[in-house]
Amino acid sequence: VVVAIENHMDYRCTEIAEVVAGVDSPWLRVNFDFANSYSVIEDPLDAATAVAEWTVMAHIKDMRVQPKTLTGEPKIMWAPLGCGTVPVAEILAILKQRAPDPDALPLCLEIAPLPDQDPDLWVDMSVRAMRTSFGEYLTPNREHETDHGD
């Protein structure tokens, strides 16, 4: 059983990399979350680079960083994929180059619209962004495709 540590808004990926490298076991890997590094003041590209060589799963998501609001404080908000400030394509390129098995890397699309937002719209926008903007990094799993005459 492989255990994958996620950068879950508590530790920087540079810290997680130290642990995984120190344990040095094929059974300890990383589940990289594209946007969680914002919560620990870590650049998402630095985070991806730090753990890419151990990444066996990823949560692909987007957030928008608003440096200043009307209250004078910064704010980090969920966003449909491709509508935020996470450098998604650049992270995918890092993972494609450095992950142990980039062609079989599971990407879990993670979105969380606020209650006043339409979740169906967010899913549609995110899937469209994956196809149009990040499609070159996605490998279709032909085993599970079926022909429905569409």
Side-chain angles (χ1 to χ4, degrees), residues 67-89:
K68 186 175 178 184
T69 63
L70 293 175
T71 63
E73 297 179 10
K75 189 172 184 179
I76 300 172
M77 299 161 278
W78 284 84
L81 195 63
C83 295
T85 53
V86 174
V88 175

Side-chain angles (χ1 to χ4, degrees), residues 55-132:
T55 298
V56 295
M57 182 166 176
H59 289 169
I60 185 170
K61 74 178 178 194
D62 210 346
M63 289 189 161
R64 183 169 64 94
V65 176
Q66 187 170 336
K68 186 175 178 184
T69 63
L70 293 175
T71 63
E73 297 179 10
K75 189 172 184 179
I76 300 172
M77 299 161 278
W78 284 84
L81 195 63
C83 295
T85 53
V86 174
V88 175
E90 291 89 340
I91 292 171
L92 287 168
I94 290 168
L95 295 176
K96 184 75 171 176
Q97 182 181 37
R98 299 189 59 204
D101 190 0
D103 291 331
L105 183 68
L107 296 173
C108 174
L109 175 59
E110 193 174 358
I111 59 170
L114 295 172
D116 63 338
Q117 301 290 317
D118 180 355
D120 293 333
L121 177 62
W122 278 46
V123 169
D124 182 59
M125 291 173 67
S126 297
V127 170
R128 188 173 302 132
M130 288 178 74
R131 288 182 177 146
T132 59

Side-chain angles (χ1 to χ4, degrees), residues 6-12 33 35-40 61 63 78:
E6 181 180 351
N7 57 317
H8 198 262
M9 301 182 176
D10 44 12
Y11 293 99
R12 289 184 174 99
D33 187 295
N36 281 354
S37 59
Y38 281 144
S39 65
V40 292
K61 74 178 178 194
M63 289 189 161
W78 284 84

Side-chain angles (χ1 to χ4, degrees), residues 15-28:
E15 296 167 317
I16 292 171
E18 286 181 33
V19 171
V20 176
V23 171
D24 192 25
S25 168
W27 308 113
L28 182 60

